[in-house]
Amino acid sequence: MNELTTLERRALSRLTTPGGGMLIVAADQRNSMKKVMTDDPQTVDRAGLAAAKSDLVRHLGNRAPAILLDPETALPEIVDDGVIAPETGLVVALDASGFAETDEGLRRTRYIDGMSPRRVRELGGDAAKMLFYLRPDRGDAEEEVVMAIRDLVTAANDEGVLLIVEILTYRLPGESEEDYAAAFGGLIEQATRICVEQGVKVLKIPYPGSAEASDAVHAAAQGVPWAVLSAGVDHATFVGQVRTAVRHGSAGAMAGRSLWKDCLSTSADEREERLTGVAAVRAAELAAVIDEELAAR
């Protein structure tokens, strides 16, 4: 196991439920958040998106242990303006929207300009999050990604910042949906193992697909906490996935669109009504499921 330092352990405790499970509201989306706000996303400018994120923090994030935000549209204003509650943990995203693609169809993520573990600390963050796309079955072709993970782990360790590494796999050009689906659980397991070998201490990964696949991922994690991301599925589906994942080793969830995708609009009044009456209820249910399953393990 990649042991947490005292500082990292303290940071992780700010991202957890009373029962000790991870629960972070993911609100670092940019383009995808605009798409759920209106049928014409191009009409949502930075100020409009920032206002929506402020409401997300105020009416949802502050009711959960922690929230994940980006420094392109949300920070440092949400901290400086006192929108985020003192007791709410803050995870700061390092990754820019979108990805670059190599000649072989492999995806590469990019950092937001100026972002680093030190900048996360300057923004008031308790932890950093970085997304990496990875096809672990491509061997040496993915060594660039593996090295990037290793370098970021080193930088975060040097700065004393808790780092959460998010891993996404994806279909390759010419790969059928059936072949990708059949390989998916194994890809998540392999990616988990690679991350642990690079010194990663906390992981954010897609639901592996089944109880058996979750067991395999948990074994590959070797004690490193791993949280499940919602990947845009509906709330009821995600609750079931989280229940299975936690029962089989996961530490909790980082939930985004499953909580709020039908609760945002360009109207502040509508956002408040939906976030408090729907999204916050979903977050409370998710927290209860996580704590229930952890207590039963």
Side-chain angles (χ1 to χ4, degrees), residues 6 38 65 81 89 106 112 131 153 156 162-163 166 194 213 228 267 276:
T6 300
T38 175
D81 295 343
L106 299 174
I112 296 170
L131 162 66
V153 167
L162 178 67
L163 172 66
E166 176 180 2
I194 288 171
V228 180
S267 164
T276 56

Side-chain angles (χ1 to χ4, degrees), residues 128-149:
K129 187 275 295 187
M130 181 64 187
L131 162 66
F132 293 97
Y133 288 95
L134 182 61
R135 279 296 301 238
D137 56 336
R138 302 299 286 180
D140 291 345
E142 290 289 64
E143 184 60 25
E144 176 185 339
V145 179
V146 175
M147 291 179 63
I149 294 171

Side-chain angles (χ1 to χ4, degrees), residues 74-95:
L75 298 169
E77 292 87 349
I78 282 175
V79 173
D80 292 342
D81 295 343
V83 176
I84 189 168
E87 65 274 14
T88 301
L90 174 61
V91 182
V92 180
L94 301 172
D95 46 284

Side-chain angles (χ1 to χ4, degrees), residues 88-279:
T88 301
L90 174 61
V91 182
V92 180
L94 301 172
D95 46 284
S97 290
F99 57 85
E101 193 168 285
T102 71
D103 292 339
E104 298 178 346
L106 299 174
R107 297 181 182 181
R108 299 288 182 261
T109 45
R110 300 169 291 112
Y111 285 90
I112 296 170
D113 288 346
M115 286 307 298
S116 66
R118 175 164 295 183
R119 183 59 179 152
V120 168
R121 186 177 298 287
E122 293 170 350
L123 289 169
D126 295 291
K129 187 275 295 187
M130 181 64 187
L131 162 66
F132 293 97
Y133 288 95
L134 182 61
R135 279 296 301 238
D137 56 336
R138 302 299 286 180
D140 291 345
E142 290 289 64
E143 184 60 25
E144 176 185 339
V145 179
V146 175
M147 291 179 63
I149 294 171
R150 183 187 312 149
D151 290 345
L152 181 56
V153 167
T154 299
N157 288 344
D158 290 345
E159 195 60 38
V161 171
L162 178 67
L163 172 66
I164 301 171
V165 169
E166 176 180 2
I167 293 295
L168 291 181
T169 63
Y170 53 94
R171 284 174 57 198
L172 296 170
E175 183 177 30
S176 70
E177 291 185 12
E178 293 77 14
D179 286 346
Y180 178 61
F184 183 76
L187 293 174
I188 300 300
E189 177 189 353
Q190 293 173 58
T192 297
R193 183 173 293 107
I194 288 171
C195 286
V196 172
E197 290 172 352
Q198 307 317 308
V200 173
K201 297 179 180 180
V202 184
L203 276 164
K204 175 187 178 185
I205 59 174
Y207 174 60
S210 67
E212 294 75 15
S214 296
D215 284 334
V217 166
H218 190 57
Q222 301 179 53
V224 167
W226 53 285
V228 180
L229 59 91
S230 62
V233 301
D234 64 83
H235 174 65
T237 298
F238 189 52
V239 167
Q241 291 178 347
V242 170
R243 185 179 293 279
T244 298
V246 175
R247 187 173 296 176
H248 292 268
S250 173
M254 295 182 70
R257 285 169 291 170
S258 69
L259 293 177
W260 49 255
K261 66 181 176 182
D262 55 353
C263 298
L264 296 181
S265 73
T266 55
S267 164
D269 289 341
E270 289 181 21
R271 287 199 297 264
E272 180 177 358
E273 179 181 356
R274 294 289 294 174
L275 288 169
T276 56
V278 178

